[in-house]
Amino acid sequence: ERARQLLETTRARGLEEGNVLSALAQIQALTKDFRAVTRAAEALDDSELPAVPRIRALSILANDHYQQQRYIQSLEALQELSRLRRYSADRALQGYCRLGLGDTTQAIVDFEQAVALNPGLLPVHRELVRLYLSAGQTDRATRQRMIGERLRQLAPPNRPHPQ
């Protein structure tokens, strides 16, 4: 709360720098403040915004666009993110956007890339099984199901299994 107040005071005093706006957007996103998206977009207007705050702002926008079913805009933000980092959650979100647009072939590619980066994404393994089955690729679905099941068995006993 104190960090948010300091950043808002800094912004109110005229410092509209991208770093400040990106940090404020991140705090607002964590507290489910609807202004986070606006701040993230404002941060990206700063042509000198360094990579880390740019990544923060793009991630906020990509997730918001997805939640609002603006899949093309989400994919645009995710494409810029993919030039800045290789992150499995970004690839998975790309896959879900492609599903929203009805492009199951590219969604499969995105989901495969996501699990290649992070094999522990059990929900993505399940999504791949579903997509392979709907495409009639039973061998791939069976293999993917076996991989997912094996990963579930290897998860530490004190850690809950991701749904």
Side-chain angles (χ1 to χ4, degrees), residues 70-108:
R70 294 186 306 258
Y71 303 122
I72 292 172
Q73 293 91 332
S74 183
L75 285 169
E76 289 168 356
L78 288 163
Q79 286 171 347
E80 188 171 345
L81 269 172
S82 71
R83 287 191 294 270
L84 296 169
R85 68 179 182 183
R86 288 176 39 99
Y87 190 54
S88 60
D90 295 343
R91 302 302 163 117
L93 186 56
Q94 280 180 216
Y96 288 114
C97 287
R98 304 264 192 222
L99 284 181
L101 293 170
D103 186 354
T104 56
T105 302
Q106 188 58 46
I108 289 172

Side-chain angles (χ1 to χ4, degrees), residues 122-139:
L122 294 178
V124 177
H125 284 285
R126 284 193 293 274
E127 193 64 45
L128 279 169
V129 169
R130 186 186 71 76
L131 291 171
Y132 289 149
L133 287 173
S134 69
Q137 299 176 8
T138 54
D139 289 347

Side-chain angles (χ1 to χ4, degrees), residues 16-155:
E16 297 267 339
E17 175 189 80
N19 267 325
V20 171
L21 295 168
S22 177
L24 184 55
Q26 181 179 22
I27 290 169
Q28 289 172 330
L30 291 171
T31 60
K32 308 290 188 224
D33 185 328
F34 70 94
R35 296 173 295 177
V37 176
T38 303
R39 296 298 163 261
E42 291 172 348
L44 291 171
D45 288 340
D46 182 348
S47 62
E48 296 179 13
L49 187 64
V52 171
R54 179 169 296 282
I55 287 168
R56 263 195 310 254
L58 287 167
S59 183
I60 290 167
L61 287 178
N63 281 297
D64 181 70
H65 287 315
Y66 174 76
Q67 290 168 0
Q68 301 300 321
Q69 298 181 355
R70 294 186 306 258
Y71 303 122
I72 292 172
Q73 293 91 332
S74 183
L75 285 169
E76 289 168 356
L78 288 163
Q79 286 171 347
E80 188 171 345
L81 269 172
S82 71
R83 287 191 294 270
L84 296 169
R85 68 179 182 183
R86 288 176 39 99
Y87 190 54
S88 60
D90 295 343
R91 302 302 163 117
L93 186 56
Q94 280 180 216
Y96 288 114
C97 287
R98 304 264 192 222
L99 284 181
L101 293 170
D103 186 354
T104 56
T105 302
Q106 188 58 46
I108 289 172
V109 171
D110 292 332
F111 289 141
E112 288 172 341
Q113 289 174 354
V115 297
L117 291 169
N118 180 0
L121 294 175
L122 294 178
V124 177
H125 284 285
R126 284 193 293 274
E127 193 64 45
L128 279 169
V129 169
R130 186 186 71 76
L131 291 171
Y132 289 149
L133 287 173
S134 69
Q137 299 176 8
T138 54
D139 289 347
R140 290 180 87 183
T142 301
R143 182 176 180 279
Q144 196 62 233
R145 185 178 289 124
M146 289 172 39
I147 291 169
E149 189 54 41
R150 181 71 178 132
L151 288 169
R152 279 178 47 82
Q153 292 171 359
L154 292 173

